[in-house]
Amino acid sequence: MTGAGVSAESGVPTFRGNDGLWSKFDPTELASMNAFMRNPKLVWEWYLYRRDVIGKAEPNMGHETLAKMEQHLSAFTLVTQNVDNLHRRAGSRNVIELHGNIQRNKCRQCGSPMDQVEIDPDNIPRCSCGGQIRPDVVWFGELLPEEALITAIKVAEQSALFLSIGTSALVYPAADLPLIAKNNGAYLVEINPEPTALTPYADEVFRGKSGEILPIIWQTATEEASSAEASLQTDEA
Ligand code: BJW
Ligand code: ZN
């Protein structure tokens, strides 16, 4: 499971921490339905600004290594809290987006997808039902997409190894997933430069940037796998 930290090396700001978005912007003013109802223009301006930042960002070695893992491992699922689409752009296909996708729009009222409409924050377009168009992301107090959450819980329950990467593990229900995995027998690994709420529960912690740590883990794992295969072949001979 990934969080905003995975995209930090691509130049996409995280939410919490000194350089995080919430140090400059108040989440209650921007990431809730109340905020949107109070000031839709401000909320749209903020999302259009972030769309622009994300549109210019490129996937980093962290995203690319996770895409490689999916190609080489028979059962690998990527659960992300990120809305930036960088995992798909890096080549990941089995991606569960828990908090939506910032590139998509939907109707505030009936939920219909509204991707083809141009957004003018001064004159927010409306759906045929009359509802204003909003970004298709999950705000505080909103339910996560049901199928995505159910699948993510199932995958967590079944996983043998769970990597929690670049997330502060403070936002629920996503923050429950590593603990669900661990309670069902998974080996829990955290990759993060800073300690998090999850650290006390992790079986192993890699303190560093995901764009640096993930390629090292993957290289070590593949080298060990090929030397194990070579010694098996020698034994058979
Ligand atoms: C690096 C790095 C590098 C830096 N490499 N790492 C149970 C208990 C308490 C509260 C609740 C609860 N259940 C529900 C709640 C309420 C609420 C919640 O969790 N609040 C907490 C904050 C207390 N949850 C919700 O409202 C959720 N809905 C819900 O539960 O519905 C049912 C319900 C409704 C009402 C009442 C009760 C239940 C919805 C949550 C939606 C979250 N939405 C956001 C915004 C998305 C749209 C947008 O982008 O604008 O999602 S908030 C924001 O936080 C975003 C993120 O996905 C999410 C998680 O953040 P993340 O990814 O962890 O980022 P950071 O910034 O926190 O951390 C970055 C990490 O990276 C740090 O650790 C760095 O160290 C690290 N890092 N560089 C690796 N190079
Ligand atoms: Zn509608």
Side-chain angles (χ1 to χ4, degrees):
M1 178 176 80
T2 61
V6 162
S7 299
E9 289 155 86
S10 297
V12 181
T14 60
F15 293 91
R16 295 159 191 87
N18 290 340
D19 297 328
L21 288 167
W22 298 152
S23 68
K24 299 177 203 81
F25 305 100
D26 180 352
T28 57
E29 295 285 336
L30 295 162
S32 70
M33 182 53 97
N34 277 347
F36 188 68
M37 293 197 310
R38 208 167 36 232
N39 195 343
K41 174 176 154 72
L42 176 74
V43 173
W44 258 121
E45 281 171 347
W46 191 61
Y47 277 96
L48 291 177
Y49 159 73
R50 287 178 53 211
R51 269 187 192 174
D52 191 47
V53 171
I54 286 166
K56 289 177 186 145
E58 292 296 331
N60 64 53
M61 285 301 287
H63 300 106
E64 280 165 22
T65 306
L66 289 166
K68 234 182 257 175
M69 287 181 178
E70 179 182 320
Q71 279 166 19
H72 288 88
L73 299 172
S74 57
F76 179 91
T77 305
L78 184 61
V79 178
T80 188
Q81 297 168 80
N82 297 348
V83 297
D84 59 25
N85 214 30
L86 287 176
H87 285 304
R88 284 217 180 80
R89 284 178 55 201
S92 288
R93 289 294 165 262
N94 192 10
V95 184
I96 299 175
E97 290 175 327
L98 291 178
H99 293 162
N101 188 310
I102 200 170
Q103 307 297 353
R104 294 194 307 250
N105 307 319
K106 67 177 182 184
C107 168
R108 194 198 106 177
Q109 211 156 271
C110 71
S112 299
M114 290 282 160
D115 288 338
Q116 303 311 325
V117 285
E118 189 77 21
I119 304 297
D120 174 1
D122 287 310
N123 186 14
I124 296 166
R126 289 183 183 268
C127 167
S128 55
C129 81
Q132 279 177 315
I133 306 305
R134 57 164 282 184
D136 188 2
V137 296
V138 182
W139 285 327
F140 284 113
E142 294 186 323
L143 295 177
L144 276 62
E146 192 181 359
E147 201 190 323
L149 183 59
I150 290 173
T151 312
I153 292 172
K154 208 180 288 168
V155 167
E157 285 169 348
Q158 293 169 354
S159 67
L161 172 63
F162 191 103
L163 308 177
S164 176
I165 313 167
T167 175
S168 57
L170 290 172
V171 175
Y172 290 85
D176 277 328
L177 295 172
L179 299 173
I180 291 174
K182 188 173 169 82
N183 289 339
N184 283 276
Y187 191 75
L188 179 58
V189 175
E190 175 173 76
I191 302 173
N192 197 310
E194 305 286 337
T196 75
L198 189 68
T199 304
Y201 306 96
D203 294 301
E204 198 161 335
V205 175
F206 293 88
R207 280 275 162 263
K209 297 179 175 179
S210 46
E212 294 169 5
I213 301 280
L214 279 167
I216 296 171
I217 292 178
W218 184 238
Q219 197 188 343
T220 311
T222 46
E223 275 169 11
E224 278 177 15
S226 53
S227 75
E229 203 177 319
S231 75
L232 200 67
Q233 277 167 5
T234 317
D235 287 352
E236 277 169 8

